[in-house]
Amino acid sequence: MKLTKKKEIDAVVGIECDCCKKEFLAEDTFEIQEFFHIKNACGYGSIFGDGNYLEVDICQSCMKTIIETNCGNVDNYIKESEVYE
């Protein structure tokens, strides 16, 4: 017999870009799938503080602008698809 327990959970209903502040609702499937979710543990000597966490969500349009503005042509950074196992 399965034992069950009712739980309340938070459901993601959308994502807000940390750069442009535009909100994308869950119905914006393709935009949501293309978000860049960056989470990094900051180490010793980090300008963000040792032991802190850096977490950011960036939409694909803002990421394209960031790359083009700071790194040059975005096409230089697009590689063939790789399968990660």
Side-chain angles (χ1 to χ4, degrees):
M1 170 176 34
K2 293 181 182 175
L3 303 176
T4 61
K5 179 180 178 181
K6 291 197 182 277
K7 288 185 176 182
E8 288 187 36
I9 60 169
D10 292 331
V12 175
V13 295
I15 302 175
E16 179 182 284
C17 176
D18 290 322
C19 291
C20 68
K21 304 300 182 197
K22 184 175 177 184
E23 292 182 4
F24 297 86
L25 300 178
E27 296 82 42
D28 300 322
T29 307
F30 297 117
E31 287 295 332
I32 295 286
Q33 288 175 355
E34 294 304 320
F35 253 78
F36 288 79
H37 307 282
I38 302 168
K39 184 175 183 179
N40 187 60
C42 304
Y44 180 76
S46 170
I47 62 172
F48 300 107
D50 183 21
N52 288 333
Y53 285 90
L54 178 66
E55 215 170 326
V56 64
D57 295 312
I58 304 174
C59 73
Q60 64 178 336
S61 296
C62 286
M63 183 59 82
K64 183 176 188 282
T65 300
I66 290 168
I67 292 172
E68 289 175 338
T69 303
N70 297 291
C71 304
N73 187 344
V74 74
D75 291 335
N76 294 338
Y77 298 92
I78 298 173
K79 307 291 182 213
E80 283 278 328
S81 296
E82 296 180 14
V83 177
Y84 296 98
E85 295 181 25

